Amino acid sequence: MSKIIKGIKIRLYPNKHQQAQLWQMFGNDRFVWNQMLAMARSRYQNNPSSHFVNGYQMDALLKALKQEYPFLRESDSTSLQVVNHNLDQAFKMLFKHQGGYPRFKSRRSYHQSYTGKSKLFVAAKRYLKLPKLGYIKTSKTSQLQNVKIKRYTVSHDPTGRYYLSLQVEAEVNQLPRTEKTVGLDVGIADLVISSDGIKYGTFNAKWLEKQATKWQSRYSKRCHRANVAVRQWNHNHKTVKLELDDYQNWQRARVMKARYQQRIANQRKDYLQKLTTNLVRQYDVIVIEDLKTKNLQKNHHLAKSITNASWYQFRTMLEYKCQWYGKRLMVVSPNNTSRICSTCGHNDGPKALEIREWTCPQCGTHHDRDINAAVNILKRGLKLIG
């Protein structure tokens, strides 16, 4: 048994008063971020040789900021400290040339959130007690038994729903040893092909994708019509001005589009979770290839299929599950894995993507292209292990 850090996400059902409190907290975090970022910018403009104000110094400025703006006291104090820490990290990444300059946050963004480090309490089966909010209804609390909550994030997404994401410390039991090894080749028609000859299909949600495309089209058309109407109204009426958010027909299309897209993402994630858990249970050593997904997505004919397959998410899940359950994951180079004969080692040269089977001219072995690649991946991994 070992301790791990994992994430748990549950849905919140705040009442009207709590929703108003949440939006105040979202605004307070955004306000502190923008104030600290503006201070850093003006400080540098006035004196480029001045020292950078780090996270601890930003925390010291919070007391004066709360006296000047009393509404900041309505937030969980730890959430404002997390804002300062995140801004400090953003500047450190900038100084290391690993990220761009931090941007100001907008209240018009459809995704709002705040993160705190205070203690949460499970009040009942479907109720939690959150700082400043009191007792709030949730979807479930059974996952929060025997765990230590390290950090929490309350968010509001484009679908109009509220969620609570928790970073918890929990204990997991090691899975039993099977003494089996496997090489995995990822593809588009089939997501995973194992060296054992088993093929696991790619996630498919054609009906949901069709609905998401339909509502995306409606959203774009309604947004265009609303923009035209807003410009015409504001041009003819100088006293009463309209905004794009005043057109509810456009807002409904935006929410429907976001909900279908979220359903696709949730079902894809659920499929990958079950697949990776099944693989980790079956094998002690798993060998995969080190694919550069961003480079492969530059091929516009395959970019959508590669994105839908979620190779990167599949690899990430395998990595942390192997670490949790005491299994071993090896990553090898993908060079020539589909060209080399897994029987005799002959390199038959490059082949077009539509060629899925081939026969080795040297030993005469007939290969399924994907299974042959998976066997070569396994051999490379075992060679590294020795």
Side-chain angles (χ1 to χ4, degrees), residues 199-317:
K199 296 186 178 182
Y200 302 90
T202 306
F203 169 75
N204 185 7
K206 289 184 178 179
W207 184 83
L208 288 175
E209 289 177 358
K210 184 177 179 180
Q211 295 298 314
T213 303
K214 181 178 73 175
W215 281 102
Q216 176 68 54
S217 176
R218 291 182 180 179
Y219 164 78
S220 300
K221 292 176 181 178
R222 293 179 186 183
C223 183
H224 173 71
R225 289 198 293 264
N227 269 309
V228 172
V230 165
R231 287 197 298 266
Q232 290 176 347
W233 174 274
N234 291 341
H235 177 75
N236 298 326
H237 300 78
K238 303 301 181 184
T239 55
V240 180
K241 298 291 185 180
L242 289 181
E243 292 186 2
L244 194 61
D245 292 344
D246 295 327
Y247 286 80
Q248 296 300 313
N249 200 30
W250 168 73
Q251 293 285 353
R252 281 194 294 270
R254 178 185 62 78
V255 172
M256 289 299 295
K257 170 184 72 77
R259 290 189 176 181
Y260 278 114
Q261 290 172 345
Q262 188 186 60
R263 284 181 63 185
I264 294 171
N266 290 344
Q267 290 188 17
R268 181 188 294 111
K269 185 177 180 181
D270 180 68
Y271 175 76
L272 293 175
Q273 290 281 13
K274 291 176 179 176
L275 175 59
T276 51
T277 301
N278 182 40
L279 290 171
V280 171
R281 288 183 184 277
Q282 289 187 60
Y283 303 102
D284 289 345
V285 178
I286 300 174
V287 188
I288 60 174
E289 51 188 345
D290 187 17
L291 291 176
K292 305 299 181 184
T293 308
K294 285 187 177 181
N295 295 338
L296 294 171
Q297 286 178 345
K298 293 177 182 178
N299 184 337
H300 299 294
H301 298 287
L302 301 175
K304 183 179 178 181
S305 299
I306 292 172
T307 305
N308 182 62
S310 297
W311 293 344
Y312 179 77
Q313 193 174 19
F314 171 76
R315 173 176 169 173
T316 303
M317 289 181 179

Side-chain angles (χ1 to χ4, degrees), residues 6-39:
K6 69 175 185 177
I8 297 176
K9 188 174 183 179
I10 58 179
R11 189 172 171 186
L12 295 180
Y13 300 93
N15 55 36
K16 295 292 184 182
H17 177 65
Q18 289 171 334
Q19 288 181 25
Q21 285 182 291
L22 284 173
W23 282 98
Q24 179 66 50
M25 292 182 182
F26 297 153
N28 289 352
D29 275 34
R30 189 175 59 247
F31 178 81
V32 170
W33 172 282
N34 292 341
Q35 287 287 317
M36 295 297 180
L37 179 55
M39 177 203 67

